[in-house]
Each structure stands twice: as C-alpha cells, then as structure tokens.
Amino acid sequence: MAKQILEALGGAPNIRELTHCATRLHVTLDDERYANLKQIESIPGVLGAFPRAGGRCQIIIGGAVASVYERMISMMNAAAASGVTEKSMEAADPSDAADSGAASQEAPQSFASRTPRAWASAILDYVSDAFRPLLGVLLGASMIIALANVAVALGLTPDGNATDGWRALKAIWEVMFVMLPIMIATNAARKLNVDPWLGGAIMSALLAPQLAGLSGGINVFGITMPINDYSGNIFVPLLMVVLLAMIYHGLKRVIPDSVQLVFAPFCSLVVVYLLSVLFVGPLGVWVGDELSAGTAWLNTHVPFLFALLIPMLYPFLVPLGLHWPLNALMLMNIQTLGYDFVQGPMGVWNFACFGVTAGVLMLSIREHDADMRQTSLSALLAGLLGGVSELSLYGIHLQHRRTYRWLLAGCAAGGLSSAVLSWAFPSVLPSGQTIHGVTTTAFAFSSLLTIPVFDRAWVYALSITIAFAVAMMLTVIFDYRMPQSAHETETSAKSAAGMSAAAIADVEDSAVPAQQLWHAESSNAVFAPIAGVVVGLESIGDPVFASKALGDGVGIVPDGSAGIAAVHAPVSGTIKTVAKTGHALGIKTDDGIEVLVHVGLDTVDMGGEGFALQVAKGEHVSAGDVLLQVDFEAIAQACHNPVVVVTVVNTMAMTSVVPLLMPADSPSADVRQGEPRKVTAGEPIIDVER
C-alpha cells in the first residue's frame, strides 16, 4: 500500500511533507499536478483521498495509517540516500488535472496577495498540524486518567491518592498536561520550517519560572518581567512560534551562512524570549481567558442551545479538520477554569456516530455482507474503546451520506437529553458556583472507558446511550443506503426501483431461461447482457469510451420498448466493483478477464433512481444471472443516452479483444466492419483471446 500511494503521489521527490493522525495521512506536495488521487482511492485499504488548498491532500487509511506512514518514510529516505534528486515523472501529463483529482497549483502566494479564505485555511492547518502528532499521547494519557477515575469510583483508592502507584499513574497525565505547551511549540515550529528544538527551548524557558517555584515578577536590567503560569496553555506557544518564524527566517537572510548555526539560534532565543515574556505571553493568556469565558457564558446562560450546537456541528467539522481549534479550547478551559464543559456534548456526537456504525454492522450481518461487516466492526471497536470517529466517518458515513440523517437525529436526541438532565441536576463547584452541563477536569477521548472522568457520570452515560440507541435504531429501520442501491431481496429491490407488482411479474414472465440463451461452452466469449443493437464504442458519443481508456468493447442500444428490463451478467466471475448509484458494475472472471458493464451515459447524475441492484460486491455470478433491473424509460425521461456499454478493462493484458459487430453468418472476414447487428441477451458480443 505504501509503495502504491508513493507512486501515485508522484514519487518521493514530489513529497514536501508527510505526517499522519489516527486515521489519515497528511501530505504536502511540491507539485500536485503529478498526484493522481483517483488512483490512490482505488488502492485496496484506502478509504478515500481528498485534495486541500496549497498542494496538500489527505489520504484516509484507518488503523494501519502508522505502519503505512513508517514504510513511506523508509522508502523516501532510501530514495534520498540513493541520490534520487529529480522527479521521475516524465511519463506523467501535468495538464491532466481532471484525472489527478486536484487543481493545478499556482505559484506560491505572497502574504499581501493571499485571500481571506487562504488565510483561514492556513491558520486552521497550522493549528491542526501543531496538535495532530500529539494525538497518540493524548489518547494514552486520557486512558490513564480514566483508569485512575475508575479506581476511585470502585473504591480501590477512596481518596484518589491512597497509593504511590496511583499517584504515579496520575502524574503521567498531569506532567504531560504541564509540558503540553513545549510539545505544541515543537510541532508548530516544524510546521513553519523553523528548527523544532528552538521552539521547544523557548517555550521551556517560559515555563522555567513556574517549574522553579517562582512567582510575581523578575527584575532584569531594571525591567520587571511578569511571570505567568503557561502550563497547559496552547495559545501562547502557537503565537510565540509565529513570531519566532518571522524573526528566525529574517535572521537567516541577513546572517552569513558560515555563522548562521551559532547566531541565528542565539539571536532568536534572546529576542523571542523577551518579546514573549513582555507581550506574546500575556496576549496568549488573555485570548485563552476570553474564549473560555465566552463559551462558559453560553453554557451557563443558554445551556440548551450549547448542548445541541456542539454535537450538531461536529459531524461537519471533523471531515474538514476544523475540530482541532475546539480541542484547543477544551485544553484552555481546563487550564483557566479548572474544568471543561465542551467534551460532554462532544461525546454525544461521538456516540451517535458509533450508533450509526452499529446499525450498519447489524444490517451487514443480516445480509451476509462480509466487506461491510469487517469495515463496520473495526470502526465500532475503534470508536467504543478508543474514541476514534474517523474510521466510522470515512469508512461508512461519507460513503453513504444517507446516514447523516440518522446521525444528526441521534446528536439531537442525545444533546437534548443532556441539556434537560444537566438543568434538572446541576453540579455545584467547591466555590459554590452552579454549573449546568457535564464537565470534566481531564482532556479525555469519548469512549466507554473514559465515562468515569466526567462529573455526574450517570448524566453523561445516559445522554450518550440515547444518542447511540436513536442513531442505531434509525439506521436499522431505514437503512444506510439509498433505497435504489440497498442490497435487499429480489422483490424488494425491484420495488425500490419504483416497479409495480404487475411490472415485476411481467419482467419475470418474459425472462427466457438462461440455459437457452447463454453459451457457456464458448470460453472466449463475452455475452450480451441485454437485447438490442450492437454498436462500436466510437459511435456511442462518449469520448472516454471511444478512446478505449476503459478497454475495448461494444455498446448495446436497447430496444425502444425496453421499459423495465433485466441486465444480465455477460461472463461468469466475481463482482469486484459496484457503483453507489447502481449504474455500473465490474466483474472479474476466474481466469483474469475484467469486464465492465455500464448502463447509460452520465446516468450517475440520476442518483440511483431507476436502478435496482440484484447483486453485491464480492458475490460470484454465472453468465446470465440478473445483475440489476433498469427502468430505461426513466433514463430517457432524464435525457440520458440509454446505451449499455460492455468493455474488457484489461484489454492490454489480452492477446486480442475483438468486438463482434457483424452477424455471425456475415461474408466479411473483418467483424469490425459492416452494419451493426441485433442481438438477444446471451449472444456473444466480444471475443477475447487470453
């Protein structure tokens, strides 16, 4: 997988930066025109690939992302060590931006020429990349604090500090929280192409007075420098590193190369430290305090709106990577207020997400869908035990967007129940302040194991249970696929296409027994999936098929009276691909022929209307089996060409692929010439020599 992804990205020299989070590879490219995202999406194990502005892209993999990342890094290092310095892309066509799945990259923008949208994207990416590498340690620390709270809840450590062992475990989380600004500064510096240790060193110096037990202020050269507590603060390192990048890169432009190693870090340390103590640090503290106070005001004065707003927004923020600033806000709440109230509503969204996944798992078990069962089971376990939602989101929800209806319904139900229960049973802080909303003193991922870290855990547990149950039940009752593409029983699938019982009976009665039509003894033949007139690919009016980019083959123009008709399997083999809308399928024979059946031109725009699938990916079919029922009248009403295209996709791997465009008794020796012929379903239309 790593090798195929690397090749599809244009090779190691085309990769400027490579990082990963829990489920995604994050890639910055030198030239995005050489990256083929469609090719990446076809790699087994890849859940999706999405372009981002500025030559970046995200590749969704799932739990194996760390292994793929490590292998890609190893390959890139090997390429660099072998002296590969030029892009090996001469065969690529940079002008083919449409096939690459990404727009052409413009010249780097100056600060003045950047649009507000570009600035917003750059800021969000900066914040995200500063946090993303810390995901694993944050998750591990949240599990530790969760175990400590479970021990307290079970009475194993009545006062929470009864044993040195538990105090040591809690120290792992507490120390990591104190040192979090240093880790953020290191990642942020790396993001802005500054020596990462320089960012970490300056942030360490800012934390040193607190670590040494100093307070108040320090008099240096007659100037009193204030001392703030920056432990756990995330805005100070983010702002400080921006200042550091400006000064560091400016110094490198004016300091001679021969002495840069000494004086660029030295000057940066002194200048940035002083400016951070006097200006950046207080500014970062003020920004964090104001954001925390603002969200606290919302939670206190409009708790119902807050409890609904957070879970309803998250399904749209996470796919875009816009949830990281909220994670930063959670950490700031803990640092400034001593507790956080965002994670409770966020847990509602997580469990609504997992509820949909559980519903999909139940349907896949009922329908014996092995692929979806494996995907949904892995995503559900990662969610319930680890709090990771990306596997569900990218593996299922964004593939079947109908699930968003049931997901948002679960979010609304869980958020409303959390608001009602929190209002009815408020918590009172030691200071006497009344809090409406579920709070926690730890940054914890929303999983079953971290429920004990929340105050009034029963309120939190009940609200996430409601969100999970509602989303799961709606998914099971109404399905996660559009009705046209759901793999149901034959009769219900036909009904999904809008056919009446009489129409179904007419189709079934008119079907000719397969053994009378399909000549399985002809091992070289690809058979007609439907009756009609056979035409050459160059005459169907589609430049892609005409170019033979999808292999050689034929088109079949259905009879004008086709109405609702069955499309049969042209060969025996395994269903390898099925379009979400049901208009196209790929079949691979046991001896390696890959056949594409594509019903109509541009029928993807119909969204599955008029198509009723009878098979699913992974099934084995025999030549003549019904693949789908098609309403050709609906295709005509949508103003699309109803031609059924059949091609041998791997034509180049065959000795010959000959479209049979003339009647078998034609005196012409060249079957490619002459008038098109009429066929019935089951007659040979392509001759393949392996």
Side-chain angles (χ1 to χ4, degrees), residues 335-687:
Q335 197 266 341
T336 57
L337 302 175
Y339 61 90
D340 173 58
F341 43 83
V342 180
Q343 294 177 71
M346 186 196 71
V348 169
W349 122 257
N350 263 359
F351 277 85
C353 173
F354 306 149
V356 171
T357 304
V360 172
L361 176 61
M362 294 177 65
L363 291 174
S364 66
I365 294 174
R366 187 179 72 188
E367 297 169 4
H368 306 289
D369 186 345
D371 288 341
M372 184 54 76
R373 182 171 66 247
Q374 180 178 356
T375 299
S376 56
L377 180 59
S378 300
L380 184 61
L381 291 176
L384 294 180
L385 300 180
V388 178
S389 61
E390 281 86 350
L391 290 181
S392 294
L393 195 64
Y394 290 101
I396 300 173
H397 301 169
L398 292 178
Q399 303 292 331
H400 303 278
R401 299 195 178 185
R402 180 183 176 88
T403 59
Y404 260 67
R405 306 176 187 181
W406 326 136
L407 172 59
L408 291 174
C411 289
L416 184 61
S417 61
S418 177
V420 171
L421 291 172
S422 298
W423 185 264
F425 302 95
S427 62
V428 180
L429 298 179
S431 62
Q433 181 184 1
T434 300
I435 298 296
H436 295 286
V438 175
T439 63
T440 177
T441 58
F443 182 82
F445 288 70
S446 303
S447 69
L448 291 176
L449 301 178
T450 58
I451 292 176
V453 306
F454 292 90
D455 75 309
R456 290 169 301 161
W458 69 273
V459 174
Y460 176 74
L462 186 57
S463 62
I464 63 175
T465 300
I466 292 173
F468 183 92
V470 169
M472 181 183 69
M473 288 189 296
L474 289 175
T475 303
V476 172
I477 294 172
F478 297 106
D479 210 304
Y480 62 97
R481 301 151 294 189
M482 296 302 292
Q484 298 91 333
S485 62
H487 176 54
E488 304 167 340
T489 62
E490 184 174 352
T491 301
S492 62
K494 293 175 181 176
S495 299
M499 292 181 270
S500 64
I504 294 172
D506 289 342
V507 173
E508 292 176 343
D509 292 342
S510 63
V512 181
Q515 62 269 24
Q516 298 180 15
L517 290 177
W518 303 86
H519 311 290
E521 69 275 10
S522 178
S523 60
N524 285 358
V526 175
F527 305 110
I530 195 170
V533 177
V534 181
V535 296
L537 294 180
E538 64 280 354
S539 64
I540 66 175
D542 185 273
V544 175
F545 285 118
S547 70
K548 310 294 176 66
L550 296 175
D552 207 349
V554 302
I556 301 178
V557 181
D559 294 336
S561 59
I564 298 171
V567 176
H568 302 265
V571 291
S572 299
T574 302
I575 304 294
K576 288 296 184 180
T577 58
V578 179
K580 299 174 186 177
T581 53
H583 72 287
L585 302 96
I587 306 174
K588 186 174 183 179
T589 66
D590 293 338
D591 54 356
I593 300 177
E594 299 174 8
V595 178
L596 170 69
V597 179
H598 193 288
V599 181
L601 301 181
D602 298 322
T603 45
V604 65
D605 297 336
M606 297 176 66
E609 181 179 355
F611 297 88
L613 285 168
Q614 309 293 290
V615 295
K617 182 179 178 181
E619 287 189 14
H620 190 278
V621 296
S622 299
D625 288 351
V626 177
L627 298 177
L628 69 158
Q629 299 284 354
V630 180
D631 187 347
F632 285 96
E633 292 182 1
I635 295 177
Q637 291 172 3
C639 300
H640 295 304
N641 188 336
V643 64
V644 179
V645 182
V646 182
T647 67
V648 177
V649 178
N650 57 342
T651 292
M652 298 302 294
M654 302 293 119
T655 300
S656 67
V657 175
V658 181
L660 305 177
L661 302 179
M662 292 193 61
D665 56 358
S666 170
S668 172
D670 187 356
V671 295
R672 293 180 181 271
Q673 305 299 323
E675 297 181 359
R677 66 184 178 111
K678 292 184 178 181
V679 295
T680 57
E683 293 186 45
I685 54 173
I686 304 173
D687 184 82

Side-chain angles (χ1 to χ4, degrees), residues 27-267:
V27 188
T28 303
L29 302 168
D30 274 339
D31 193 334
E32 60 186 307
R33 295 175 297 173
Y34 293 107
N36 191 330
L37 299 189
K38 291 183 179 178
Q39 180 181 340
I40 293 175
E41 288 187 326
S42 68
I43 298 173
V46 174
L47 302 177
F50 306 93
R52 299 287 302 278
R56 301 184 302 276
C57 65
Q58 294 183 4
I59 302 170
I60 318 304
I61 294 176
V65 66
S67 299
V68 174
Y69 166 81
E70 291 170 0
R71 294 186 182 232
M72 289 181 66
I73 290 294
S74 177
M75 294 175 186
M76 292 165 62
N77 291 339
S82 64
V84 177
T85 58
E86 299 295 330
K87 297 182 179 68
S88 55
M89 308 175 192
E90 287 78 5
D93 182 6
S95 65
D96 193 8
D99 287 341
S100 71
S104 297
Q105 182 177 4
E106 302 293 337
Q109 294 178 307
S110 66
F111 289 109
S113 63
R114 281 192 176 182
T115 64
R117 181 177 180 181
W119 273 109
S121 177
I123 292 172
L124 288 171
D125 282 336
Y126 172 63
V127 175
S128 298
D129 289 343
F131 277 97
R132 189 181 300 117
L134 303 177
L135 185 63
V137 293
L138 286 173
L139 177 58
S142 71
M143 296 294 291
I144 290 172
I145 199 68
L147 290 174
N149 279 272
V150 168
V152 173
L154 296 178
L156 300 178
T157 55
D159 61 356
N161 293 287
T163 64
D164 291 339
W166 281 116
R167 285 200 299 271
L169 282 177
K170 292 177 68 176
I172 297 176
W173 160 252
E174 292 168 353
V175 171
M176 199 213 78
F177 184 73
V178 170
M179 297 299 179
L180 185 62
I182 299 175
M183 294 184 279
I184 292 175
T186 303
N187 292 331
R190 183 181 292 110
K191 173 66 178 177
L192 298 184
N193 297 318
V194 176
D195 182 355
W197 293 109
L198 191 56
I202 296 174
M203 196 64 235
S204 299
L206 292 173
L207 285 172
Q210 286 79 39
L211 299 180
L214 299 177
S215 61
I218 302 177
N219 190 287
V220 179
F221 302 118
I223 300 175
T224 300
M225 297 191 299
I227 295 179
N228 292 297
D229 184 3
Y230 299 125
S231 58
N233 194 295
I234 53 93
F235 289 103
V236 172
L238 291 174
L239 294 173
M240 179 272 293
V241 171
V242 172
L243 175 64
L244 170 63
M246 297 170 62
I247 293 176
Y248 181 77
H249 291 301
L251 289 171
K252 292 190 70 174
R253 283 193 292 267
V254 298
I255 297 177
D257 293 345
S258 57
V259 292
Q260 274 188 10
L261 181 61
V262 176
F263 289 101
F266 166 73
C267 295

